[in-house]
Amino acid sequence: MNFTIAKCKVCGEDMLQEFLPEETKCDVCGKDIVTNFTCSNGHHMCNQCRFEGVMDDIKRVCLNTASKNPLDITTEVMKTTELSLIGCKHYFLTAFSLYTAYKNAGGPVNDFEGTINRINDRLMTVQTSVCKLGCFCGIPAAIGGAFQTADIENKNISEITKTANILTGNCMAKLINPNWYGNSDCCIRNAIICVVEGVKFLKNYYSIDIELPNEIKCDFTKDNPRCNKEKCRLYKGVKTEIL
C-alpha cells in the first residue's frame, strides 16, 4: 500500500493544494491547465497526468471483479494500487466501485467497459479543487454524475438528472450528519459513507440487491493524518443495519 499525499511526477515531492487556482501549464505533458495543485518545487500537473496509472488500476479491478459488494471493490483497489490516501481519485473510485457492484448484482448494463470510460471522461473534466474551494466533498456529485452518465433506465434527461440529484443529495446529507462524527475532510470516511448510502438508494430505487458486510470498520486509519480515531464511528466498526 502507498497511502500518502499524491506525489509530483516531475520531482517526487508532495502535491499541495493551494486556495486559489491559477492558469499554467502541465509540467509533464505541457497542456494549458487551470489548477490549484502544486508541489513545493512549483510543478503543476493536469488531471490526466496526476491520475495516470492509478486510473488504469481502478478500471482494471472493476472490469475483472465479480464482487457485488462495492466496499470490497473499493478496498481491493486501495490495497493493490498506488492510490494516495488523500485526494480526488476517491471520487472516481467510489463511482466506479458502486457502478461495478450494480452491474455484478444484475443491474442492466449494455456496454460496461464503454460506460466506465464515459464516466471516466466526464469525471475527468471536473475541477478537482472542488473539495477545498467549494467547501464540500466531490464524492457525492461523482456518484450521482456516474449514474446520470450511465443512463441506466434510458429515461428522458430531466428524469435522469432528477434521479442523479436525489442520489447526490442523499450522500451529502449523510456526510454532514453529526451522528457520524469523524473528520469530514477524510477521503476514506467519505468514500465509505457515500458507497453505503449509494447502495441503499439503488436497492430502493432500482430493486437491485447490492451486497454490504454486516459490519463496517475502516482498515486505513494508520498513517492517515485526517483520521480522528475513536471520534469516528468507523474506527472501531459499526453495524451496517443501523447506518
Side-chain angles (χ1 to χ4, degrees), residues 19-34:
F19 186 73
L20 295 177
E22 62 177 302
E23 295 183 9
T24 183
K25 289 185 179 291
C26 174
D27 287 300
V28 178
C29 70
K31 180 168 47 179
D32 291 330
I33 58 174
V34 177

Side-chain angles (χ1 to χ4, degrees), residues 100 124 147 202 239:
T100 300
M124 195 66 75
F147 280 88
L202 294 173
K239 294 290 184 182

Side-chain angles (χ1 to χ4, degrees), residues 117-134:
N117 288 330
R118 288 195 299 275
I119 293 172
N120 177 83
D121 292 342
R122 180 174 184 181
L123 296 185
M124 195 66 75
T125 66
V126 176
Q127 174 55 261
T128 54
S129 61
V130 65
C131 294
K132 186 169 185 177
L133 300 186

